Amino acid sequence: MLGTLAGLGLATAAAAHGYTAGDIAIGHPWSRAAPAGITGAGFMTLRNTGSAPDRLVSARAEIARTVEMHTNVQEGAVMRMRPVESIEIAPGQEVKLAPGGLHLMLVGLKQPLTKGARVPLTLVFQRAGEITVELSVEAAGAAGEHHH
Ligand SMILES: [Cu+2]
C-alpha cells in the first residue's frame, strides 16, 4: 500500500509542475501547440493559500506581442470571449484557467508554440508580485479550441 502511494506521488510530481508566489500557488501552467502569427492560450490553476484576497492584474511573455486575460461568456447559443481587467483569487479559493472559461491569450505569437516546449510567462499579482512560470506546451487539441 505504501509503495503504491509513493509510486503515485512520484508519477504526479513528474507530470505536473507548479510555482509559488507569496500566498499564490500556480499549478500546471500549460498551453497548446500553435503556429507563429496567431493567438495562443494559457491555462493554469491559481490557489490563494493566504488570508487576503489577491488578483492577477497582468501577464506578459517574450513569445507574444501582448498577453490578455479573457473569460468565456454565453450569449444566447454562442460562447464569446471577453477581456477582463483582472482575475480575483479569494482567500482559500482556487481559480481555474481552463479551456471554455477564464484563460490567458498570447496575442501575436512571434514564434510557434511547439509541443513539448516550455515557454516563459510572467504573471503579475497585486499582492504576491511578479513571478515567471513556464507554460508546458501540449498538443493542439480540438476540445475547447477557440477562434479569433
Ligand atoms: Cu480568449
Side-chain angles (χ1 to χ4, degrees):
M1 188 58 188
L2 201 61
T4 309
L5 284 174
L8 280 173
L10 281 175
T12 306
H17 62 300
Y19 303 83
T20 307
D23 289 331
I24 303 297
I26 300 133
H28 189 50
W30 67 283
S31 186
R32 290 204 187 94
I38 69 157
T39 295
F43 309 113
M44 67 198 68
T45 57
L46 301 173
R47 192 157 51 84
N48 187 344
T49 61
S51 53
D54 202 348
R55 44 183 67 235
L56 178 65
V57 289
S58 70
R60 60 180 189 270
E62 268 300 306
I63 200 170
R65 183 162 45 79
T66 178
V67 178
E68 297 179 358
M69 293 177 272
H70 281 184
T71 188
N72 280 18
V73 290
Q74 187 89 34
E75 280 181 4
V78 191
M79 281 286 260
R80 286 188 200 285
M81 298 199 302
R82 190 160 289 166
V84 292
E85 287 288 307
S86 64
I87 294 171
E88 185 170 4
I89 314 134
Q93 295 298 302
E94 183 175 270
V95 176
K96 276 193 199 322
L97 278 63
L102 286 167
H103 57 276
L104 300 181
M105 303 256 42
L106 283 59
V107 180
L109 288 173
K110 298 170 190 170
Q111 292 168 44
L113 291 168
T114 310
K115 189 187 171 190
R118 291 285 181 104
V119 177
L121 168 81
T122 301
L123 303 169
V124 184
F125 297 95
Q126 195 169 56
R127 283 178 57 87
E130 283 194 19
I131 182 171
T132 299
V133 304
E134 285 186 322
L135 293 169
S136 163
V137 183
E138 297 177 7
E145 198 87 298
H146 57 253
H147 306 274
H148 280 265

